[in-house]
Amino acid sequence: MNRQELFKQVKQMYGTEPDYPWHDRNAVLRHPDTGKWFAVIMEIPEFKLGLPGNWVVDVVNVKCDPMLIGSLRQQAGYFPAYHMNKDQWISVLLDGPVPEAAILNLISMSYELTQEKKHQESNRQVSESAGNKMSNEEIRRRLSGRAAEYLMFLDDCTTERGQALQQSWIGGPI
């Protein structure tokens, strides 16, 4: 998924257009009602992500449930958030190994996590009550909403259940 495809999908999902506050190719996606950021699309040299090389790559920074960040960063294409809080945000390489559906699911999660505080309260309580040494099954049991579904999606995106999640989240398989 490249930046233009991402912008097209986000416009369809939320009616949001990219904002360019720094007057360069780096863009911000904001909630239409509050103006809060839910994604930042940036050009970053590979070496700043810990990759070999000096090519400039596109990444999207998204807010993510802190319980998912550690396991996501162990997978190819996910990195500690560039210029953001690394405990709550993650950088995802665009045009890389992360499937389009996974990127769109993270965008949806970020959109929900950056809504007004009243919508976030239940997610915060789950995160605070969870310990650091839990199995994936225990994490799923405690998580609610998109975070739990996202873990299931990562586990079985090729199964019937994973395909059903793709259908419900993005309107069909990728």
Side-chain angles (χ1 to χ4, degrees):
M1 168 173 254
N2 65 39
R3 69 172 45 227
Q4 295 307 330
E5 293 165 338
L6 177 78
F7 293 152
K8 181 180 176 185
Q9 289 289 335
V10 168
K11 184 173 181 174
Q12 288 176 350
M13 292 163 63
Y14 305 112
T16 302
E17 296 275 353
D19 179 28
Y20 296 90
W22 303 287
H23 308 290
D24 57 12
R25 285 188 35 89
N26 299 314
V28 174
L29 297 173
R30 302 174 188 264
H31 280 272
D33 52 345
T34 64
K36 288 179 76 173
W37 298 6
F38 64 91
V40 183
I41 296 82
M42 298 180 288
E43 293 181 318
I44 302 172
E46 290 172 309
F47 72 90
K48 291 194 175 187
L49 295 171
L51 297 171
N54 289 315
W55 291 98
V56 174
V57 294
D58 284 336
V59 299
V60 59
N61 277 1
V62 290
K63 191 164 189 176
C64 186
D65 189 298
M67 294 177 65
L68 289 177
I69 289 176
S71 59
L72 289 176
R73 288 187 0 200
Q74 293 175 16
Q75 300 177 41
Y78 297 93
F79 302 92
Y82 186 75
H83 277 302
M84 300 293 272
N85 179 324
K86 290 165 182 38
D87 293 330
Q88 297 182 11
W89 290 75
I90 192 163
S91 290
V92 182
L93 186 64
L94 295 176
D95 278 336
V98 180
E100 178 179 324
I103 293 171
L104 293 175
N105 292 338
L106 285 170
I107 292 282
S108 294
M109 184 187 304
S110 184
Y111 189 87
E112 289 177 10
L113 289 171
T114 55
Q115 287 180 334
E116 298 277 343
K117 294 285 185 202
K118 62 183 175 185
H119 299 291
Q120 296 177 16
E121 188 61 28
S122 63
N123 287 340
R124 184 188 61 76
Q125 289 172 350
V126 168
S127 295
E128 287 176 355
S129 67
N132 292 332
K133 302 274 185 182
M134 288 190 288
S135 68
N136 281 346
E137 206 51 49
E138 178 67 12
I139 291 170
R140 277 188 204 92
R141 190 178 68 72
R142 292 185 180 210
L143 285 174
S144 63
R146 294 239 185 241
E149 290 177 3
Y150 189 74
L151 276 178
M152 288 189 303
F153 174 81
L154 289 176
D155 284 347
D156 61 5
C157 64
T158 59
T159 67
E160 193 172 313
R161 182 173 21 158
Q163 291 169 0
L165 286 173
Q166 286 181 21
Q167 182 69 32
S168 68
W169 284 6
I170 61 171
I174 56 172

